[in-house]
Every structure is written in structure tokens, then in C-alpha cells.
Amino acid sequence: MEGGVVLLDFWASMFGMRVRIALAEKEIKYEYREQDLRNKSDLLLQMNPVHKKIPVLIHNGKPICESLVQVQYIDEVWHDKAPLLPADPYKRATARFWADFVDKKMYDSGSKIWKTKGEEQEAAKKEFIENLKLLEGELGDNLYFGGEGFGYVDVALVPFYCWFYAYEQCGGFSIEAECPKLIAWVKRCMQKESVAKSLADPEKVYEFVLHLKKAYGIE
Amino acid sequence: MADSNVKVLGTWASPFVMRVRIALHLKSVGYEYVEENLLEAKSELLLKSNPVHKKVPVLIHGDKPVCESLIIVQYIDEVWTSAPSILPSDPYDRAESRFWAAYVNDKFFPALRRVLISTEEARKVAMAEILEGVVLLEEAFKKLSKGKAFFGGDNLGYVDLAVGSLLAWIKVIEKFTETEALSEAKTPSLAAWADCFSSHAAVKDVFPDVDKLVDFGMKLRAKFSKAATAAAATTTN
């Protein structure tokens, strides 16, 4: 493991996908180790004792935890290829702000869509779409959130796309109908090999969500 | 060095605002401080500068707003590059610093907040989390400080700002629950560090008065309890 890069991850995790995309963008060879989250490995517990969560990036035997921390680490260590954060401090602050927005809002509002029903679910759908519209506003007429080039916010957000189908099926709505510009951006991102190879199959994610609903006893 | 080009929108009680002010002090950057009134309506400037979250702190540099305390601190570190550096220079050390700052924001602070505003059962759970948390932070301090006075070594660093800004609130919940969280007995390194932090030149003028903060905390508690009771009353079936 010394000198090498190892990623402890779970196939359906949007957070893990961020790291996979960053590693692919930088053309870094690494060992992917799928984790069983119901039966956490000794290595996972040893490498992330505080949160006991994936993804965990291990570089030269040392762990780095938290997906956005990992993406920034990758960007800083392998800084000569495919920069993800811009050079200008104000643009960097803006990129960090929107990645943080994705972290604060997307996972929770998305989860509520498949975990609830009735009024609660309607409220969750509304909040989710409002958040996507704010992101659309930030994207504006740019090709990517990073401007001309694919960058940090694109990496932070695009993995959620593979969960959209599951949210739509559970919530009975169309995300593309509400946020066409965002879906156009997704399609642009999916043309990049780093993204296409890192995202999970939406059908498989939906199956997984159905399985989770059963396990949680959610109708 | 007065720089009328820099404004900070904040409130005296906010640990997040404190982080920003300490960072500016460390870099000797002059700024205009604008106190938002927490218990009244938010100012036009705040709503315009932070339309997404409508919260303090906001740093306005020229006419450009920067939001979210840790993002602002990194911005300050990157724009005003004079010593001391707030984030370490080595990528792994930076990742470790960012990890612990995220831990404070995502786990420790929400638990503090829950101790303050929850009813008895939830408060006990939250306080247990705080007591576990300070043990983690004690270990982190020993590792990151490498025998020096601060998480950042000889100087205040990113994690010092992230954790240190919560010290006054930790004192508030210690008084409220009549439980010691930081102590020479249980968290000796952190207790020593807390003294160094709160007396640091860049910190002492913005470290809130704990009695005032206790008063304010009780007002917040009452406000949130009322809201919680009202919400419960409207969900009848």
C-alpha cells in the first residue's frame, strides 16, 4: 500500500463518486475496494475511526476522510493535471460555497423524497427542485460550473444525477421538466469518460433504494 | 492598517463571525464591522450579500461578498498572504485541518446547539456527544500541535479558529448543564490550549463575555422551545 492510492468506497455513494471522478480526471491509478457497510471492515474502522464512513482515500498508507477534503487534497497533490479549483481566490471561494451548498442541501432533500410520502414528500420535492433551480441560476449560460472547464462544483454535484431516476420514480415527478438546463449540463458532463465511468447505473440505484425502503419499512 | 475596502457583517454572539474576525486580525487587515441585530429583522445589506443562506458572517471585499465562515477564512488566507499562514502548506496537513474543521461544523457544533435548545432527554444525548467530542479533540490537539501551543503549532491555525470560536459557547452549556466538558483532569491539553487561545492578541477583543452569552443563550432557548411547542401544537393528528 505504501506509495499507492487506495479508495474505500461503496458503489452507490455520491460522495465516493466525487473522489472517483477526481482521480480519473488526474489519471491517477488506484485500487478500488468495495466496502460492506452493514459489516464494516477493520481497515475502514481503523482509517476513519471518527465517522466510520466511506469514502476513505488512503495515500502512502495515510487516510484522508470527507469527500470534498479528499477532492481538494487530490487537486493539490496532483496539481499539474486537470485543475479542479480555479486559481483566483474569489473564484475559489465561490466554488467552495456552491460545493458546500450541495453538501448542505442535496443529500438531505433528496433522501426525504424516497423516505417519506404524502405532504412530507411534496415538501421534500419542492425543496429539492428549489435547490436545483438555485444551482441552475449559478450555472447560468456557462458550459460547466467551473466556467469553460469542468471543475470542483461539477465534481461535487454531478454524482447526484445517478440518484435522480430513483427520486423521480419514488416522487412521481420529472426533474428534467423542472430543470432542463441542469439536465443539459449533466449530459455534457456524462460525455466525459471520468464522469461516465464513475457514476452508478441509475436503474441499479433505484433497485437499491427499493431495497432500502423495504429494509426501513417505508411503503 | 485601515482597509475601508473590507466589511464584516456579524453578530457578537456568533462563533462563526469570530473566526472571520480573528483571521483578519492575524493578517493585520483593517475592516469595518457591522453588527446585525439578531433579534430583529435582517438588514438589506445582509439579505443582498447572502441571498442563499441569509446568515452571518459575510465578508465584503470591495463589493464582493464571501459567505460561510471557513470559506471566508480560507479566502482571507489566500488573499492576504503575509505570515502567519492560517492553513498549513503541506497538502496532507491541510487535509487533516479541513477534516477537523468539518468535524466541528458538522458534528460538534450541532451537538452544542442541541444541548442548548433541547428538552431533557435529547439534551442528555447531546451532552454525551459533547463529552465524547472533547476527547476526540484532545487527541487531535496532541497530534496536530506536535508539542506546541496551538493546533496550528506556534501560531493560530485553521483548527484553532474552528474549535476556539466555540469555547465561550462550551462554557455556556457547561454552566447550563452543570457539567464540565473541558477540564485539566479530563482534557489537560485542551484546557491549557483554551487559556492560550482566549488570551491571544488576535482573539481577546472578540471573545464574548460568557455571562452575556449565557443570557443570550437562554433567550435563544426560550425562542426555540416556543417554536417547537407551537409546531407540535399545529400537527394535531
Side-chain angles (χ1 to χ4, degrees), chain B residues 13-151:
Chain B
S14 164
F16 306 104
V17 172
M18 204 177 149
R19 292 167 175 177
V20 173
R21 299 184 75 182
I22 297 170
L24 290 167
H25 298 164
L26 286 171
K27 300 287 190 175
S28 304
V29 175
Y31 61 97
E32 184 194 338
Y33 174 71
V34 180
E35 177 82 22
E36 287 281 322
N37 191 321
L38 279 168
L39 302 165
E40 278 170 32
K42 294 175 180 183
S43 74
E44 277 300 306
L45 182 59
L46 174 58
L47 297 175
K48 191 184 88 169
S49 310
N50 192 356
V52 174
H53 300 302
K54 307 174 177 54
K55 287 181 172 180
V56 292
V58 180
L59 179 89
I60 308 176
H61 188 198
D63 56 356
K64 297 185 296 198
V66 186
C67 306
E68 295 299 301
S69 66
L70 294 178
I71 293 174
I72 299 170
V73 169
Q74 289 181 87
Y75 175 79
I76 290 167
D77 204 28
E78 290 172 11
V79 170
W80 290 280
T81 51
S82 62
S85 249
I86 297 173
L87 269 149
S89 49
D90 173 73
Y92 190 79
D93 294 340
R94 290 158 74 83
E96 257 193 330
S97 292
R98 286 179 173 137
F99 172 85
W100 284 107
Y103 167 78
V104 172
N105 271 17
D106 298 342
K107 301 279 177 201
F108 196 79
F109 175 75
L112 267 183
R113 195 170 178 275
R114 282 196 299 276
V115 172
L116 186 71
I117 66 174
S118 300
T119 50
E120 202 184 336
E121 274 315 301
R123 179 165 69 241
K124 281 193 190 147
V125 173
M127 199 56 192
E129 283 174 43
I130 293 296
L131 295 175
E132 277 171 28
V134 294
V135 172
L136 282 176
L137 289 170
E138 171 84 3
E139 291 310 306
F141 180 81
K142 286 188 213 159
K143 187 170 184 236
L144 269 60
S145 64
K146 302 184 172 82
K148 305 277 174 83
F150 300 108
F151 282 92

Side-chain angles (χ1 to χ4, degrees), chain A residues 50 53 70 107 109 124 127 145 172 189:
Chain A
V50 174
K53 284 181 169 180
Q70 291 155 345
Y107 183 78
S109 57
E127 201 197 324
F145 285 90
C189 292

Side-chain angles (χ1 to χ4, degrees), chain A residues 85-153:
Chain A
L85 270 163
D88 171 72
Y90 188 70
K91 291 190 173 142
R92 289 160 77 84
T94 305
R96 286 178 174 137
F97 176 87
W98 287 103
D100 176 71
F101 176 86
V102 174
D103 257 9
K104 280 180 159 80
K105 304 280 184 182
M106 296 298 292
Y107 183 78
D108 283 344
S109 57
S111 298
K112 277 192 214 151
I113 296 173
W114 65 263
K115 282 184 179 169
T116 64
K117 53 191 171 124
E119 265 184 55
E120 248 195 293
Q121 194 187 52
E122 286 307 306
K125 282 156 65 179
K126 186 164 173 268
E127 201 197 324
F128 186 78
I129 293 295
E130 271 168 20
N131 292 334
L132 285 184
K133 289 204 157 126
L134 273 172
L135 286 160
E136 264 190 337
E138 176 58 18
L139 178 67
D141 292 321
N142 293 316
L143 288 178
Y144 301 103
F145 285 90
E148 293 285 305
F150 184 79
Y152 188 64
V153 181

